[in-house]
Structures are given as C-alpha cells and as structure tokens.
Amino acid sequence: MTSSAPIPTSLLSDSLKGMSLDTSSYLSLMTKLIGESKHVQNNPRQSLVPREGTIVPHLLEILTPHSTSNGGPLILEELVYNEGRP
C-alpha cells in the first residue's frame, strides 16, 4: 500500500505543484541510507574513513528510472575521486 503526504505548495515552483511524496518509498530509501551511516562517518582518529560508495547503489536504484537513458530528465554520472568515494 502506498501512502502520499501533501507537499506544501508554497515551497514549490509551478512545475512541481500537484506532486506527492510516496511515503513508503521515501522511508525505504531513508532506512537503507541510515543503515549505511556507519560507512560514511569521517573521524580519522577512530579509523573512520568515509566510503560514500556504499550509498550510491541505493540512490541509483531510485534515480535511474528517471535518467535520460530511460527517457527521463536526469543526467546521472558516478564520479570517483578516491576508490570507494564517488
């Protein structure tokens, strides 16, 4: 079951009005990202070096259907500066 929460339209441009938030999908993504939080902390003194690459697959899962390769408006590109740190 999908539930939608209204978005305050005063904060949106005219082109975005009428959209709704899929609460279930949003909570699913947030649960995945929070589950990866231990991998993106930055505290070298405690040997915590962020590995942002662990969250990228979760974001791509949501964004890829809206990419230009699938007929959508988003241009997606994964850039890697250091291994594991796109």
Side-chain angles (χ1 to χ4, degrees):
M1 178 166 77
T2 301
S3 62
S4 297
I7 299 172
T9 57
S10 61
L11 302 175
L12 300 175
S13 69
D14 288 337
S15 62
L16 297 176
K17 289 183 179 175
M19 292 181 73
S20 62
L21 173 65
D22 181 341
T23 306
S24 177
S25 293
Y26 176 77
L27 290 176
S28 175
L29 176 60
M30 290 298 105
T31 300
K32 291 174 185 176
L33 295 180
I34 290 168
E36 299 291 353
S37 64
K38 62 184 170 255
H39 301 296
V40 294
Q41 295 183 43
N42 188 9
N43 188 340
R45 285 189 248 170
Q46 292 185 345
S47 299
L48 296 173
V49 178
R51 294 184 292 130
E52 294 91 345
T54 62
I55 66 168
V56 171
H58 303 300
L59 298 173
L60 289 176
E61 178 183 347
I62 298 295
L63 297 175
T64 298
H66 308 285
S67 69
T68 53
S69 62
N70 288 316
L74 299 180
I75 299 170
L76 301 179
E77 182 177 8
E78 183 179 344
L79 303 174
V80 178
Y81 179 70
N82 287 332
E83 189 62 37
R85 299 196 67 190

